Amino acid sequence: MISEAVIKRLPRYYRFIKQLADGGVERVSSTKIASALSITASQVRQDLCNFGGFGQQGYGYDVGKLKIELAAILGLDKVYDMIIVGAGNIGRALAGYKGFKDDGFYVRALFDIDPRCSSINGIKVYDMDFLKTYLQQNQVDIAVIATQKDSAKSVADALIAGGVKSIWNFAPVELEVPEGITLENISMSESLYVLSYRSKNRKN
């Protein structure tokens, strides 16, 4: 069983290795990775050994190979079809983020209780009344909830009833879902509170 802490570090490894690959770097040491991510070299080696290691003593890691391996571990070696429920500020920002496509995440549609435009960044915006039909007619790998707090639970229930198995929740509420459904609750306020705490306790 891979620990939650290791899983949360994997995207950081991938992002750093991808940057190295994009910059033409061919190999990297665990010490270099550790320095960039503010962890220890032994932690890097231990984390990667959970999945096979990939490094060679005295050589380090082949950047190109490690990028491919990490992408496969994270499931980034396939395409994901996404929808966003909620076409407010957060929904619009997510729909306009170009980086999703780079990693194989494609936003196919947006839904809103009161659509004020027909499309956002070329992505069709539908009325919420069409959500059930859309889920019946289309494969949706990941659904993003970007609604107000009060409607998030009912939206999640509708998505689950429509067969969605993975939900990325940006609504300011901790959702609970049945077993078998993958849920990631994102709290921007929580991150801001951590930043505030660290700023307050920073040594001058």
Side-chain angles (χ1 to χ4, degrees), residues 98-153:
K98 306 298 184 183
F100 287 148
K101 289 183 180 180
D102 294 340
D103 289 322
F105 298 92
Y106 288 83
V107 178
R108 304 300 189 185
L110 291 99
F111 295 84
D112 197 86
I113 196 169
D114 182 25
R116 299 188 179 184
C117 56
S118 60
S119 66
I120 296 174
N121 295 302
I123 303 168
K124 180 71 175 177
V125 182
Y126 297 97
D127 189 281
M128 277 295 296
D129 291 341
F130 186 63
L131 178 62
K132 181 178 179 180
T133 300
Y134 183 92
L135 293 176
Q136 291 172 341
Q137 297 176 348
N138 297 273
Q139 170 68 33
V140 175
D141 300 305
I142 299 172
V144 180
I145 298 178
T147 64
Q148 298 295 320
K149 174 182 178 179
D150 294 344
S151 56
K153 178 63 168 62

Side-chain angles (χ1 to χ4, degrees), residues 3-195:
S3 74
E4 190 68 20
V6 173
I7 293 171
K8 287 186 177 297
R9 282 193 290 271
L10 287 175
R12 300 179 64 205
Y13 289 134
Y14 179 72
R15 185 168 59 244
F16 178 64
I17 295 301
K18 184 178 179 182
Q19 289 174 348
L20 294 182
D22 291 344
V25 178
E26 295 183 355
R27 66 173 178 167
V28 64
S29 67
S30 57
T31 301
K32 179 74 172 179
I33 298 173
S35 177
L37 303 185
S38 299
I39 55 179
T40 65
S42 61
Q43 184 69 72
V44 172
R45 292 191 293 271
Q46 182 178 333
D47 287 351
L48 296 181
C49 276
N50 282 297
F51 305 95
F54 316 121
Q56 297 179 4
Q57 189 171 5
Y59 176 85
Y61 298 94
D62 181 300
V63 170
K65 179 181 177 183
L66 186 55
K67 177 186 173 184
I68 292 172
E69 296 287 356
L70 287 172
I73 291 168
L74 288 166
L76 300 177
D77 52 350
K78 59 169 287 187
V79 169
Y80 294 90
D81 293 317
M82 300 171 59
I83 62 169
I84 298 174
V85 180
N89 292 336
I90 294 176
R92 287 171 176 266
L94 292 171
Y97 179 59
K98 306 298 184 183
F100 287 148
K101 289 183 180 180
D102 294 340
D103 289 322
F105 298 92
Y106 288 83
V107 178
R108 304 300 189 185
L110 291 99
F111 295 84
D112 197 86
I113 196 169
D114 182 25
R116 299 188 179 184
C117 56
S118 60
S119 66
I120 296 174
N121 295 302
I123 303 168
K124 180 71 175 177
V125 182
Y126 297 97
D127 189 281
M128 277 295 296
D129 291 341
F130 186 63
L131 178 62
K132 181 178 179 180
T133 300
Y134 183 92
L135 293 176
Q136 291 172 341
Q137 297 176 348
N138 297 273
Q139 170 68 33
V140 175
D141 300 305
I142 299 172
V144 180
I145 298 178
T147 64
Q148 298 295 320
K149 174 182 178 179
D150 294 344
S151 56
K153 178 63 168 62
S154 61
V155 168
D157 291 343
L159 292 169
I160 293 168
V164 176
K165 300 295 185 183
S166 297
I167 298 174
W168 198 18
N169 175 41
F170 281 81
V173 58
E174 291 284 323
L175 294 176
E176 294 183 4
V177 295
E179 186 175 349
I181 304 299
T182 302
L183 169 70
E184 184 73 14
N185 286 305
I186 303 297
S187 173
M188 289 181 284
S189 293
E190 197 172 289
S191 295
L192 191 58
Y193 298 159
V194 171
L195 182 63

